[in-house]
Amino acid sequence: RDEMECENQTGLTNFILVGILYPQELHIPLFLFFLTIYLLTLSGNTLILWAVVTEPRMHKPMYWFLCHLSILDMTISSVVVPKVIAGFVLGSKAISFWGCVSQLFFFHFLGCAECLLYTMMAFDRFLAICRPLHYGIIMNRRACLLLSLGTWLGGCLHSFIQTSLTFHLPYGQANEVIYIFCDIPAVLKLSCADTTFNEMVTIVDVGMVAMMCFLLILTSYVYIVSAILRIQTTEGRQRAFSTCTAHIILVVTFYLPVVFNYLRPRSQDPLGGVVAVFYTTVTPFLNPIIYTLRNKEMK
């Protein structure tokens, strides 16, 4: 952008979230879609928390991590979806400058924490199936607490770096974020400085976190599958597979949209906005359904 735009600015006070362009006749159906999915996300994940807390048989590491996943799903959805719903109701899609900063920070904080949590859940399944005799000793309450705390700290560090780099840049008067929420690539497009370094850092940072977690999950499941195949009884193999299937589905539905949206240069396009709806709105809603349908104890 022209450097004069930065020099002449009086201070950017708000952004406009353009969101997804849609025909006017879809206004009410889209409003009902986002509102219904959001309410079901909150109620479904709250039911999981309630079931785990009130049922002593579910006081296990596997369900400890599932509770953390439910909390992350509800908060990630709450960072994005209420603002989308407000846009339908009030007709105003404005968000303050610091509101945009907060939305970007908390989305990446919670998203990175969820990415790390999936890795912890895979490690838990690895120990349960491949090291059953040592499982209770290794995955004690202190270990579960430290692993969960590590996911939150890792997410906070990642998001602090990304948010600082994004809003350290100068911004002019252009304030239309062509996306459903304040995300890094969409906000960078509004900067009147060279964003090549920021784009490279985003790809490397998100790519390293995603690939490291994915490789650790993949390695865990290589050992898990080999251990399951050595189980003599069909019932034993089915039970072992059933505890892993839900997690595998969650990992696939989480990583595919992330890779599609962040590991491509200039990633925010109209299709990217649709994908963003999937992992900010639909995935948090699907997670409790996947776990309850695939898990006999949860049923």
Side-chain angles (χ1 to χ4, degrees), residues 175-208:
N175 68 343
E176 287 195 346
V177 180
I178 307 177
Y179 208 51
I180 66 169
F181 68 101
C182 288
D183 201 6
I184 295 169
V187 173
L188 288 181
K189 287 182 178 180
L190 303 180
S191 174
C192 44
D194 184 14
T195 61
T196 304
F197 175 75
N198 293 69
E199 292 170 6
M200 181 185 68
V201 171
T202 300
I203 292 175
V204 172
D205 184 15
V206 175
M208 282 182 60

Side-chain angles (χ1 to χ4, degrees), residues 103-118:
Q103 192 178 55
L104 189 149
F105 174 82
F106 282 108
F107 177 79
H108 280 271
F109 164 41
L110 298 165
C112 182
E114 185 160 331
C115 183
L116 296 172
L117 181 62
Y118 283 128

Side-chain angles (χ1 to χ4, degrees), residues 199-230:
E199 292 170 6
M200 181 185 68
V201 171
T202 300
I203 292 175
V204 172
D205 184 15
V206 175
M208 282 182 60
V209 172
M211 291 307 298
M212 179 185 70
C213 291
F214 184 76
L215 288 175
L216 289 172
I217 292 170
L218 186 63
T219 303
S220 297
Y221 274 103
V222 169
Y223 283 101
I224 288 170
V225 171
S226 63
I228 291 175
L229 294 177
R230 290 197 297 270

Side-chain angles (χ1 to χ4, degrees), residues 15-53:
F15 291 95
I16 304 297
L17 297 174
V18 175
I20 300 174
L21 300 177
Y22 59 90
Q24 187 58 35
E25 56 267 22
L26 294 180
H27 180 88
I28 294 178
L30 284 174
F31 162 72
L32 293 175
F33 167 78
F34 280 102
L35 178 63
T36 303
I37 293 295
Y38 181 60
L39 293 176
L40 289 175
T41 297
L42 295 182
S43 58
N45 284 290
T46 301
L47 280 174
I48 285 182
L49 291 172
W50 176 79
V52 174
V53 170

Side-chain angles (χ1 to χ4, degrees), residues 79-127:
V79 167
V80 177
V81 181
K83 190 62 184 175
V84 176
I85 295 172
F88 288 114
V89 176
L90 304 175
S92 172
K93 298 184 178 182
I95 183 172
S96 69
F97 179 85
W98 288 109
C100 187
V101 173
S102 299
Q103 192 178 55
L104 189 149
F105 174 82
F106 282 108
F107 177 79
H108 280 271
F109 164 41
L110 298 165
C112 182
E114 185 160 331
C115 183
L116 296 172
L117 181 62
Y118 283 128
T119 310
M120 298 300 105
M121 295 171 77
F123 178 65
D124 173 66
R125 292 299 84 207
F126 162 75
L127 290 177

